[in-house]
Amino acid sequence: MAAAAATAVTKGNGGGGARAGAGEASGSRKKKGPGPLATAYLVIYNVVMTAGWLVIAVGLVRAYLAKGSYHSLYYSIEKPLKFFQTGALLEILHCAVGIVPSSVVLTSFQVMSRVFLIWAVTHSVKEVQSEDSVLLFVIAWTITEIIRYSFYTFSLLNHLPYLIKWARYTLFIVLYPMGVSGELLTIYAALPFVRQSGLYSISLPNKYNFSFDYYAFLILIMISYIPIFPQLYFHMIHQRRKVLSHTEEHKKFE
């Protein structure tokens, strides 16, 4: 799940880096881009997703101005957040059919980890929805996704402003740790309620002779951040140096 917070940068992103979503080529090799119809579809998809996350951003600002407090702002953007984050599942399909040159496995992991956090943690454990940690990862995701989908849109149109490219490969330095912290704190806040309610857990004996402890599963997810976060973060730092230094060198020769 740590990978999900990183959707700010890398290709085949590991966002992690970040997933190479709609319209971004993977690696240093030049790959044949999507056809005209696929390109038109991807542009529309990325424009819609950019607009969706902008709606979430505006909703957060309006709710803050109305309430005069940052507490419990999640409720003001809950529906669009669920809709547009779940809409990212289409990115798995994009990879599967080959119109986006990214790893299906990696993209699936990164998209599903966010969908899991939204539905299986924040939605399912109502008590954590008022936690400030939820706002922490929502803000990180919102800024990241506005930049990411804008990046893909302009890349597909072959008119990528340097500012957007710089933001995509720079702001993750703050947004990635911020998102991961919010995710971890939210899962941690959910643990007591999961244990008390036995949410999604299956106890023996049963006819399937199978047991599942959702409480322990969430703890394992939290532990998985320990090896994953440093690897992805430093990978993205490497990607930033490579991409932006290449851009600066290109400008010198123009």
Side-chain angles (χ1 to χ4, degrees), residues 91-108:
E91 294 181 31
I92 300 173
L93 180 62
H94 298 164
C95 298
V97 300
I99 62 174
V100 171
S102 301
S103 165
V104 176
V105 174
L106 185 60
T107 301
S108 298

Side-chain angles (χ1 to χ4, degrees), residues 46 64 87 125 146 165 214-215:
N46 284 295
Y64 173 76
V125 185
I146 291 171
K165 185 174 186 178
Y214 188 55
Y215 176 86

Side-chain angles (χ1 to χ4, degrees), residues 179-206:
V180 167
S181 298
E183 293 174 22
L184 282 171
L185 290 170
T186 299
I187 296 173
Y188 181 76
L191 289 177
F193 303 104
V194 170
R195 178 175 237 175
Q196 182 179 11
S197 65
L199 180 69
Y200 299 141
S201 296
I202 302 173
S203 302
L204 289 171
N206 58 65

Side-chain angles (χ1 to χ4, degrees), residues 213-233:
D213 189 341
Y214 188 55
Y215 176 86
F217 178 70
L218 289 180
I219 291 176
L220 288 175
I221 286 178
M222 293 178 69
I223 294 173
S224 73
Y225 278 70
I226 297 173
I228 293 174
F229 172 78
Q231 293 182 51
L232 293 181
Y233 193 72

Side-chain angles (χ1 to χ4, degrees), residues 119-131:
W119 290 103
V121 179
T122 310
H123 170 78
S124 299
V125 185
K126 306 293 185 184
E127 292 83 356
V128 304
Q129 294 177 2
S130 59
E131 293 286 333

Side-chain angles (χ1 to χ4, degrees), residues 3-168:
T7 45
V9 181
T10 0
K11 314 160 205 166
N13 188 339
R19 64 186 179 271
E24 184 176 4
S26 173
S28 59
R29 293 173 298 175
K30 289 186 177 180
K31 297 186 178 181
K32 185 179 179 181
L37 286 178
T39 299
Y41 161 74
L42 289 174
V43 168
I44 293 171
Y45 172 80
N46 284 295
V47 168
V48 170
M49 293 299 280
T50 302
W53 285 95
L54 281 170
V55 167
I56 294 170
V58 171
L60 286 171
V61 173
R62 290 181 63 183
Y64 173 76
L65 293 176
K67 294 181 61 176
S69 171
Y70 63 86
H71 298 294
S72 301
L73 294 184
Y74 170 80
Y75 302 105
S76 64
I77 48 84
E78 180 179 6
K79 289 182 179 179
L81 176 66
K82 288 177 177 177
F83 181 83
F84 287 102
Q85 185 54 69
T86 305
L89 290 170
L90 284 173
E91 294 181 31
I92 300 173
L93 180 62
H94 298 164
C95 298
V97 300
I99 62 174
V100 171
S102 301
S103 165
V104 176
V105 174
L106 185 60
T107 301
S108 298
F109 170 75
Q110 291 166 339
V111 171
M112 291 303 299
S113 62
R114 278 195 178 189
V115 172
F116 174 87
L117 187 65
I118 285 293
W119 290 103
V121 179
T122 310
H123 170 78
S124 299
V125 185
K126 306 293 185 184
E127 292 83 356
V128 304
Q129 294 177 2
S130 59
E131 293 286 333
D132 292 343
S133 59
V134 173
L135 184 62
L136 200 61
F137 76 71
V138 167
I139 291 176
W141 289 8
T142 301
I143 298 173
T144 294
E145 297 297 60
I146 291 171
I147 295 170
R148 188 170 72 90
Y149 287 114
S150 298
F151 178 93
Y152 295 150
T153 300
F154 285 109
S155 294
L156 286 162
L157 297 173
N158 295 317
H159 290 288
L160 178 62
Y162 178 76
L163 180 61
I164 292 179
K165 185 174 186 178
W166 177 88
R168 174 165 169 77

